Amino acid sequence: MKENWSADERALLDNLSRIREEIEAACASCGRKSDEVTLMAVTKTVPPERINVVLRAGVTCIGENRVQEYLQKKDDLLLFGVRRHLIGHLQTNKVRQIVGQVDRIESVDSVHLAKKISDVSLEKTGKPTEVLVEVNIGNEASKSGIEVAKLTELIDEIRTFSGIRVRGLMAIPPILSSESEKRAIFSQMRKLFIDIRDKNMDNVSMESLSMGMSSDYIQAVLEGSTQVRIGSALFGSRS
Ligand SMILES: *Cc1c(COP(=O)(O)O)cnc(C)c1O
């Protein structure tokens, strides 16, 4: 273990400890076990040497938004034992580049995209790719994600594709909501997650509920998130 941390490394590690403590406290306050919640470090725009500081400190999952950026950085990351998720909107023409390079794609929101991931996975790696279905929980015209009303139908259709495995749901709530509105939205996500889990559909395992970012991860944990995606609270604001 390195002893002489720089000021930036020290700040990153302080942020990480604070976030971990807050997640633990939120879990404790609602009777959840803290190992039910994974802390994902969202690494978009962050250079590899800073990402490696949190990986050395035991972060086990990273999320990247852009295919190109991830492919450029990945060889410089200390990725042994670390899960890599793509969390940004994915265009079908980028699917071939990313399949096999990440452990999970969290941003599936159409049959077309799911089919492409499935076909490319079987062809390129011979194995299915884990995916989450991204839900447009605020029904915002500007956002990606499937509408709530069409969610079950989408899952029912894509679960038959043998090159993907549906592992849960992901959501980004509307930006302008108040704390109580956010909790209501997270709670609605949790209900959708449970409803779908209780349908026991073949080839669907509802194990991950990916919600909560820097400004609202505590509310998300209180409402049942199993994975928070944290960028700026960990690495500082993005320029
Ligand atoms: C950037 C991003 C995050 C992290 O955002 P912060 O507010 O910086 O924590 C989480 N999820 C997705 C999909 C993102 O694009």
Side-chain angles (χ1 to χ4, degrees), residues 7 13 45 62 72 87 127 129 179 182 213 217:
L13 295 172
T45 78
I62 60 166
Q72 275 164 16
I87 59 175
K127 287 189 308 197
T129 298
E179 198 161 300
K182 274 184 179 148
M213 318 202 307
Y217 60 92

Side-chain angles (χ1 to χ4, degrees), residues 42 44 65 87-88 170 172 212-215 229-233 238:
V42 174
K44 63 183 173 222
N65 282 65
I87 59 175
M170 186 268 250
I172 309 174
M213 318 202 307
S214 291
S215 59
R229 306 181 308 266
I230 307 214
S232 48
R238 290 177 290 273

Side-chain angles (χ1 to χ4, degrees), residues 1 5 13 16 20 51-59:
M1 215 34 183
W5 301 103
L13 295 172
L16 179 60
R20 281 175 168 156
I51 301 171
N52 286 337
V53 173
V54 302
L55 294 180
R56 280 196 207 93
V59 165

Side-chain angles (χ1 to χ4, degrees), residues 18-180:
R18 192 192 62 247
I19 294 163
R20 281 175 168 156
E21 280 164 20
E22 284 174 359
I23 292 172
E24 274 173 35
C27 283
S29 78
C30 64
R32 301 184 66 198
K33 295 202 203 84
S34 54
D35 64 4
E36 288 172 28
V37 182
T38 302
L39 194 176
M40 169 198 282
V42 174
T43 53
K44 63 183 173 222
T45 78
V46 181
E49 55 275 18
R50 297 189 77 223
I51 301 171
N52 286 337
V53 173
V54 302
L55 294 180
R56 280 196 207 93
V59 165
T60 57
C61 180
I62 60 166
E64 270 285 346
N65 282 65
R66 291 194 192 82
V67 171
Q68 220 56 48
E69 185 184 341
Y70 175 67
L71 295 179
Q72 275 164 16
K73 294 196 294 201
K74 73 175 177 50
D75 290 339
D76 296 319
L77 298 176
L78 301 170
L79 290 173
F80 184 74
V82 173
R83 288 185 53 92
R84 308 146 303 164
H85 293 191
L86 185 79
I87 59 175
H89 179 68
L90 178 60
Q91 291 165 307
T92 46
N93 63 6
K94 300 272 172 63
V95 167
R96 191 166 295 276
Q97 294 173 55
I98 199 68
V99 161
Q101 302 289 342
V102 289
D103 301 294
R104 181 175 283 183
I105 296 173
E106 298 204 359
S107 42
V108 168
D109 61 357
S110 71
V111 172
H112 180 62
L113 178 60
K115 182 80 171 76
K116 182 78 186 184
I117 296 170
S118 176
D119 290 348
V120 171
S121 299
L122 294 178
E123 184 197 318
K124 205 179 147 190
T125 69
K127 287 189 308 197
T129 298
E130 291 186 6
V131 303
L132 301 185
V133 175
E134 181 178 349
V135 184
N136 184 351
I137 190 68
N139 280 320
E140 295 169 279
S142 61
K143 279 241 179 91
S144 46
I146 184 79
E147 281 171 52
V148 171
K150 296 183 177 156
L151 176 63
T152 307
E153 192 189 324
L154 176 75
I155 293 177
D156 199 36
E157 190 163 354
I158 69 175
R159 73 189 175 82
T160 61
F161 302 160
S162 52
I164 57 170
R165 290 282 181 272
V166 178
R167 294 289 195 229
L169 305 178
M170 186 268 250
I172 309 174
I175 293 166
L176 293 171
S177 345
S178 69
E179 198 161 300
S180 61

